[in-house]
Structure formats: C-alpha cells, structure tokens
Amino acid sequence: MTDGAPLRPEGIPGLELTGPHPVGRYAGALRDKLRMFARVQVFGEVFGFKVGGARVWFELRDADGALPCGMWRREWEASGIGVLPDGCQVVAAGGCDFYPGSRSASPGFSFAVTELRRAGEGDLLAQLERLRRTLAAEGLFEPQKRLPRPALPRTIGVVTGEHGKARGDVLAGLRRRGWAGRVVWAFAPVQDRHAAPRIARALQDLAACPEVEVVVVARGGGSLADLFAFCDETLCRTVAMLRVPVVASVGHHTDRTLIDDVAAMSCSTPTHAAEAAVPVDCAAARDELHARAGRLQTHGRRAIVTRARHLAALSRAPADHVARHRARLHQQLRELRASARRGLTEENAAIGRRALVLSRKAAATGVSVQREQVRARAFAATVHSAAEGGLARRRTDLQRLLSTLDAHDPQRTLERGYARVEDPAGDSVTSAEEARRLDAMVLRLHDGAVHVRHLR
Amino acid sequence: MSDEPDIKITDNTALPSYEEACGRLETIIRRLDSGEAGLRETLELCQEGRHLVEVCAVELDAVGRGLEELRLDELVARLEARPQAE
C-alpha cells in the first residue's frame, strides 16, 4: 500500500552522501541501471530447474560461479527445450534484471534469459554416466547387495564429516531404532579433491575391524560438484569389494552418486541410513520377544494342564458312572418302598373292608345260629321227651321179655331137680337109646356136672 | 504331524544369529498356535523356544546397554592392545 510520497527523514549527520532516498525509488533506479548492462550469452550447467505460473527458474553454474536465471514461461515453452535436468549444459542469452520488490514482496536479482539452447550433457554428468556404465558392466553394483545385512548389529561404523549435520542425523536415526550399541566414527573430509581417498581409507579401516558389522557413509546435501567425491572410481571400487555392507546416504534424495549405486543400500537421508543399518526396531523387538516368551510359556503350560484335566475327567468317569447307578438304584429302592407301602395300605384297606363284610356276615350268621340253637334245643327237648316215653315202654317190654325168658331158662329147670345129659362132646342126649350106645355121659345138674360110665 | 515336514526339532547347541533365532521362534510359535503339535513335540518346541528367546534377549541386551561412541583410531588401539594383553 502506498500512502503517497513518504516524509523524508533527516540523513545521518556527518555524511556527505546524497539522500536519504526512498528505497523503492532507489531499487527502481537500480533495476533501470542493471537493465542497461550489455546483453550477452553465457554458458554453464543447469541446476534446480523450476517451472512457475509465469516464469521458469534455474541456476546456471560452473566451477567458478553461478547466476540465478529467470525466463518467461511462454518464451521457454516456445523454445521447445523442455524441463532441463541438473547438470545439463546450456547456452543462455539475456541480460541483467532486478525485481525491486515492494512492501509485501522480496526483491531479487536474476539473469533474464530470452534465448536458451542445450549444449550437450554437462561434463560432470557425462563423466559420471560413463563411469556408472563401466562399473555396472563389471558387475560392481552387485557384490554389496549380496552381503547379508545383520538385523541387529552390535557395532556400526560411520564415515562422515566430523563437524557436519549428518553426524547428528545418524545418531538420531539410531536413537529412533532404540539402538544403543557401539558406534565407531571414521571422520573424513566429504567434499574436496582429497575427500575420496580419505573416505576409501576410512572404509577399509572400518572393514578391517572384525567387530564392525555394517558401515554407514553419510553426507548432507550439496551440488553435484560438492558430491563428486562420492563418484570417485577408486572409492566406488573399494566399496564394491568390502566385506561389510555399506549403507550410503549422500546428498538429497534427488542426487544419485555412484556410491549410492555400488553400496548395499542407498538412503535419502543420514537418519534413514542409520535406520537401515539397524533394520530392527529394538523397543518393538523387546516387546515382541516378551510376548513370544509369554506365548511359549502359555503353550507349554496349556499342553500339560489341558491333558491333565482330560486325564482327571477320564479318571472321574467310572466313579461318576457308579454314582449315577447308585442314584438310580436309590431312586428305584425308594419307589419300591413307596409302592410296597401303598400296596400294604391298599391291602389293609381291602382287608378292613373284608373284615367289615365278614363281621357283618358273622353278625348275621350269629342270629341264624341262635335261631338254629333255639330250634335245636326245642328239637332236643322234643327228642328227649320222646325218648323218655319210649324208654319206659321198652323197659316194661324188657321186663316182660325177661320174665318170659326166665320161664324158659334150663337152669331154672335144673334147679328144680332136673338133670341134663350130655355126650362127651357136650351135645344133649335126649333118648335112652342114644344113652345105651354111649360108654360115658355127663349129668349136668344146676350146681355142677357128674361124669358117669355105663356099666355093662 | 506327518503333514508338517518343515518343522523339525533342531539341535540347539549351535548359537544362531539374532535373525535366525527370530525366524525359528516365529516358526515354532506358528506351529504351536496351529494346535497340531502333540505333547512331546510341544514340550520340545517350548524348550527350544525358550533357548531362542534367551539368544534374542542377549542380542537385544547387547544393543541396549547405552550408546558407546568410539573413534576408529581408539578402536584400532584397543584391538592392537588386546593381543599384547593376552
């Protein structure tokens, strides 16, 4: 925002310089002055090519210096030159320009390019590509990648600049892994002409220590020229032949040095390289190990306890079976008793009923017996009286018969002086004739017998 | 059990590396989790597993005692001193 012409303050006392001038006016004058510089052609390598909404930007570099360059986007598109990779050598035509900026925008110097053409691959990149192809053809990118990388190295070698930011980044990466083993630092210069042999020597020394299991080579970002030490042929051949795996992190993720190709693994930052050197997250690994130990213990215990329970269940089975049978028998016994009790009760009731019936019948029978007894007694009385009458009659008859019988009794006759003659055989002799024939006879009188002999 | 040819009770006298121990431990736990191992195999695997847990714990302890920073020349000096000490 402009508020019209600003108030001019007093200048610095004692100075003879003109002014003070408003800075915007001075910046505008500077732009005008710079634009008056002669328009020229320059050449160099392109770095950091960016395409904006209206303009494209890049730096033009060589070993001695660099220029920030800008070009209208429509002119760049009209040239058909396309996006330029880093290191691409170009020839640019244009002149100096200055954007004076404003209260809300920064000023900036640029070389305003109006024409642009490629001048073939940059020397550095061309060299690099040739070397890359040679090393690849020799198979030197492979040996490192075949080396086994330990999951949990105890000792890690690190090659880096002693005072660079990469050193702290490596430690940060190791801490992120929860790794607290032994770090062996091999400090070396990482960007001048002497860097490559020193780095190679450091790597060889580290690899010579049997404790070192993996080596990290780390360097922060920089231009390709800065990183060129890591494209050194001898260094790359040394790395390819090392016995320990090398994890490289050189420059930004957009840079690709030859050591990145030769190493076992290439990472975008030193922190990532440290993490790659310790693939295991130690804290997580400890937790997991703890969990696994617990699982093993559980499995071991369960294997025994489960079987013990099964055995216990099996051993209980016969007892359970017997108990079930016992319970069933008890139940049956109870039912039997209950049934017997019920039967007895019913039987008692039936007997009671029968007894009642019988007693009733007996009572009825008693009446009839009484009646019969009365009848019997009456009959007996009748019989008795009848018998009494008959008896008297019979007694009279007998008396009469006895008298009759007495009248006919031979004994009575004998008692009256008569005798009975019997032969020896006891038969009665009733005639004289018969008596004459007999030699002996028996004269039976009323008081005894007299044997007589016939005299001749 | 006969369908599991890749799992064998291994001889645990040789000390495996951390990654070998972890890999084997994982195999053992997978086998135990499958529930197909019999009692004897289970107990043997548990014993071997405990040994491997010990191996891993020793390795993890070795990188958990605290960061030790050495310069290369210090390490070299130590290495050179060791044969003289012995």
Side-chain angles (χ1 to χ4, degrees):
Chain A
M1 276 202 282
T2 55
D3 306 317
L7 288 174
R8 186 195 297 268
E10 289 296 318
I12 300 168
L15 291 183
E16 293 181 356
L17 301 177
T18 62
H21 305 290
V23 68
R25 192 180 300 167
Y26 184 82
L30 178 62
R31 177 191 59 196
D32 297 343
K33 195 79 177 172
L34 283 171
R35 281 181 176 175
M36 287 165 68
F37 273 42
R39 289 170 51 80
V40 292
Q41 294 186 54
V42 292
F43 73 94
E45 290 173 6
V46 172
F47 280 90
F49 193 93
K50 290 194 289 284
V51 180
R55 288 173 77 81
V56 295
W57 307 96
F58 57 91
E59 282 181 19
L60 212 52
R61 296 180 178 184
D62 66 13
D64 300 316
L67 264 184
C69 299
M71 186 177 186
W72 290 109
R73 182 170 171 168
R74 63 175 186 282
E75 289 177 350
W76 166 68
E77 284 172 348
S79 74
I81 205 164
V83 176
L84 296 169
D86 282 358
C88 175
Q89 195 163 27
V90 294
V91 177
C96 290
D97 196 5
F98 180 74
Y99 172 61
S102 68
R103 195 186 295 278
S104 58
S106 300
F109 168 82
S110 67
F111 184 80
V113 179
T114 50
E115 303 282 340
L116 193 63
R117 87 169 175 83
R118 283 178 186 258
E121 278 192 343
D123 281 350
L124 286 178
L125 284 177
Q127 279 177 31
L128 202 59
E129 278 311 307
R130 274 197 301 276
L131 187 52
R132 180 173 275 129
R133 281 195 291 270
T134 307
L135 295 177
E138 289 180 31
L140 291 178
F141 291 175
E142 299 309 314
Q144 274 277 317
K145 294 178 180 68
R146 284 199 293 267
L147 291 175
R149 278 187 295 132
L152 200 62
R154 293 189 181 198
T155 303
I156 298 174
V158 183
V159 179
T160 188
E162 186 166 6
H163 305 293
K165 187 171 175 293
R167 182 180 178 181
D169 290 346
V170 168
L171 287 176
L174 294 176
R175 269 196 295 274
R176 252 164 48 175
R177 280 286 189 234
W179 186 90
R182 180 195 286 167
V183 177
V184 181
W185 298 106
F187 297 119
V190 287
Q191 70 175 38
D192 59 32
R193 277 184 302 168
H194 310 291
R198 299 276 298 276
I199 294 167
R201 176 73 195 274
L203 282 168
Q204 282 171 324
D205 288 348
L206 282 173
C209 300
E211 283 85 352
V212 175
E213 295 171 75
V214 60
V215 176
V216 174
V217 178
R219 190 212 187 277
S223 68
L224 186 58
D226 293 341
L227 304 178
F228 211 70
F230 294 92
C231 299
D232 181 81
E233 183 175 354
T234 309
L235 172 62
C236 290
R237 289 181 182 278
T238 304
V239 169
M241 292 298 124
L242 284 182
R243 68 154 187 94
V244 287
V246 173
V247 181
S249 167
V250 176
H252 294 304
H253 66 282
T254 49
D255 302 318
R256 181 110 189 143
T257 60
L258 280 186
I259 203 173
D260 288 318
D261 292 322
V262 174
M265 196 174 179
S266 164
C267 296
S268 55
T269 66
T271 309
H272 287 150
E275 288 180 330
V278 187
V280 172
D281 182 327
C282 298
R286 282 189 192 96
D287 290 347
E288 195 179 0
L289 189 63
H290 192 256
R292 283 175 172 174
R295 293 266 289 283
L296 281 174
Q297 197 176 1
T298 306
H299 275 299
R301 196 172 53 233
R302 191 187 296 156
I304 293 168
V305 169
T306 309
R307 283 165 177 85
R309 280 191 188 139
H310 184 57
L311 277 177
L314 287 178
S315 71
R316 271 199 306 273
D320 287 349
H321 194 66
V322 168
R324 262 199 312 278
H325 273 277
R326 181 175 289 136
R328 206 167 68 201
L329 282 174
H330 280 159
Q331 177 64 21
Q332 285 174 344
L333 188 60
R334 276 195 297 276
E335 285 172 7
L336 202 60
R337 279 178 182 157
S339 168
R341 258 198 311 274
R342 203 163 49 242
L344 277 174
T345 311
E346 283 171 5
E347 198 61 30
N348 276 341
I351 286 170
R353 277 197 305 277
R354 280 190 206 110
L356 192 64
V357 171
L358 278 176
S359 69
R360 281 180 191 152
K361 278 188 180 167
T365 309
V367 170
S368 133
V369 163
Q370 236 171 354
R371 202 179 296 136
E372 285 299 316
Q373 277 176 344
V374 171
R375 274 175 56 196
R377 273 198 293 272
F379 181 67
T382 310
V383 167
H384 184 68
S385 64
E388 286 290 313
L391 206 56
R393 210 167 39 248
R394 280 195 178 91
R395 198 175 287 130
T396 310
D397 288 347
L398 277 175
Q399 200 64 48
R400 191 168 38 86
L401 285 171
L402 193 59
S403 305
T404 309
L405 203 58
D406 280 347
H408 288 89
D409 189 359
Q411 189 68 31
R412 300 274 299 265
T413 308
L414 291 173
E415 282 172 1
R416 279 191 318 260
Y418 295 89
R420 192 178 165 215
V421 180
E422 293 177 3
D423 61 14
D427 293 334
S428 297
V429 178
T430 59
S431 66
E433 190 181 353
E434 201 178 343
R436 278 180 209 112
R437 269 192 324 256
L438 292 171
D439 291 335
M441 286 171 291
V442 176
L443 294 178
R444 193 160 302 267
L445 302 167
H446 76 97
D447 57 349
V450 177
H451 293 271
V452 296
R453 195 164 290 269
H454 190 235
L455 297 169
R456 300 220 180 217
Chain B
M1 260 168 40
S2 55
D3 298 328
E4 190 70 33
D6 61 327
I7 179 114
K8 294 278 185 317
I9 308 300
T10 57
D11 175 19
N12 57 17
T13 51
L15 209 60
S17 71
Y18 176 81
E19 44 271 57
E20 285 169 346
C22 272
R24 174 68 186 151
L25 201 50
E26 205 171 314
T27 310
I28 285 175
I29 285 177
R30 241 194 339 265
R31 173 71 179 154
L32 291 174
D33 283 346
S34 76
E36 290 169 4
L39 178 61
R40 180 182 294 273
E41 190 190 356
T42 298
L43 295 180
E44 282 172 349
L45 288 176
C46 283
Q47 189 181 5
E48 188 191 346
R50 278 193 288 274
H51 171 71
L52 293 170
V53 166
E54 283 289 314
V55 169
C56 292
V58 166
E59 292 296 315
L60 281 170
D61 284 348
V63 297
R65 292 193 191 111
L67 192 73
E68 182 190 8
E69 292 186 68
L70 277 182
R71 282 170 169 270
L72 178 58
D73 46 6
E74 291 170 332
L75 181 64
V76 172
R78 271 196 206 181
L79 291 174
E80 283 171 354
R82 195 177 295 168
Q84 290 167 7
E86 283 167 3

